[in-house]
Amino acid sequence: GQNIDQPTEMTATEGAIVQINCTYQTSGFNGLFWYQQHAGEAPTFLSYNVLDGLEEKGRFSSFLSRSKGYSYLLLKELQMKDSASYLCAVDLGAAGNKLTFGGGTRVLVKP
Amino acid sequence: DAMVIQNPRYQVTQFGKPVTLSCSQTLNHNVMYWYQQKSSQAPKLLFHYYDKDFNNEADTPDNFQSRRPNTSFCFLDIRSPGLGDAAMYLCATSRGFGGGTQETQYFGPGTRLLVL
């Protein structure tokens, strides 16, 4: 089976930094995606990693270590609108780009 | 500009009454996916189409069927909805080739299904 683990919930203060970890054990690997999902809405793409290292995109950064089966999403200068669920998803590399999602991490940003 | 459109946004059906959810896309993507997402859970892939090729997940119940009459449209048919099928149903698309970020999936707003 495929295992993708994330913490269920995290709380942080506006303006702070939060790091969301994701560990995976999958039958294949062709990259890892992070999506943001606000309550009742569809997931939206945040970042993609396929090589080891850090990808920075404005206030959001994502890191990957393939040898450790580990990724994290770093959210800097937190804003209230960042309160959402963050989904880690692994591209298994099968035909048609099948993604397996982790359970998501709900981030609550407090004033 | 809407890229992946799902109708309706909310659907109420009765136990056992067939229901169809629709998805359309303006991205001309090769691959279309249907996911089921229950409250506070991750999206679960039901099936996907790579062009006209249908790919069913092994654990998708027979109660769920799909049709893709052309590139732009894809339908999810639930033949006999049960109470356990109440969920958000997400449609997504991707290019289907090129690898890397070319494979990013774009999601529609979802249809929330309520079974009475």
Side-chain angles (χ1 to χ4, degrees):
Chain A
Q2 320 293 347
N3 288 313
I4 301 178
D5 293 315
Q6 309 177 230
T8 305
E9 201 167 283
M10 302 181 74
T11 302
T13 305
E14 192 175 16
I17 298 173
V18 71
Q19 177 174 315
I20 306 168
N21 296 324
C22 171
T23 57
Y24 62 90
Q25 291 177 302
T26 55
S27 57
F29 183 84
N30 198 37
L32 187 144
F33 291 82
W34 284 96
Y35 282 84
Q36 180 191 59
Q37 187 176 27
H38 285 100
E41 298 182 12
T44 55
F45 170 76
L46 287 179
S47 70
Y48 171 79
N49 294 72
V50 68
L51 299 177
D52 291 351
L54 188 68
E55 294 281 342
E56 296 189 81
K57 203 187 245 188
R59 293 190 299 114
F60 295 169
S61 303
S62 56
F63 171 84
L64 175 68
S65 169
R66 288 171 297 171
S67 62
K68 295 182 179 178
Y70 168 68
S71 173
Y72 68 72
L73 179 69
L74 195 69
L75 284 63
K76 294 180 278 190
E77 300 170 16
L78 279 172
Q79 301 175 9
M80 299 299 291
K81 67 179 182 179
D82 297 329
S83 293
S85 286
Y86 292 83
L87 303 168
C88 170
V90 172
D91 178 353
L92 300 180
N97 177 35
K98 288 173 57 169
L99 293 185
T100 296
F101 284 85
T105 299
R106 187 178 302 176
V107 172
L108 177 62
V109 180
K110 293 184 174 179
Chain B
D1 292 338
M3 296 185 290
V4 184
I5 303 159
Q6 290 188 246
N7 285 306
R9 295 292 307 276
Y10 299 90
Q11 176 74 55
V12 181
T13 190
Q14 291 179 332
F15 182 93
K17 184 175 181 182
V19 65
T20 295
L21 310 181
S22 74
C23 176
S24 63
Q25 53 132 339
T26 60
L27 298 165
N28 203 33
H29 280 173
N30 293 300
V31 192
M32 296 186 77
Y33 309 80
W34 279 104
Y35 290 88
Q36 179 192 66
Q37 187 176 29
K38 297 188 175 180
S39 181
S40 301
Q41 295 183 21
K44 179 181 180 300
L45 182 65
L46 296 173
F47 25 59
H48 72 279
Y49 273 95
Y50 196 112
D51 288 333
K52 296 180 181 179
D53 293 333
F54 178 70
N55 298 272
N56 198 31
E57 292 301 297
D59 57 354
T60 298
D62 293 339
N63 198 24
F64 292 87
Q65 304 285 321
S66 185
R67 296 170 283 136
R68 189 179 186 186
N70 54 52
T71 300
S72 300
F73 284 86
C74 195
F75 300 98
L76 169 63
D77 300 309
I78 308 177
R79 292 193 294 188
S80 181
L83 298 178
D85 297 327
M88 172 80 89
Y89 289 88
L90 296 166
C91 174
T93 73
S94 70
R95 286 182 185 269
F97 57 86
T101 54
Q102 298 291 325
E103 302 301 331
T104 299
Q105 292 189 16
Y106 296 89
F107 286 82
T111 294
R112 186 169 294 281
L113 178 69
L114 180 62
V115 181
L116 300 178

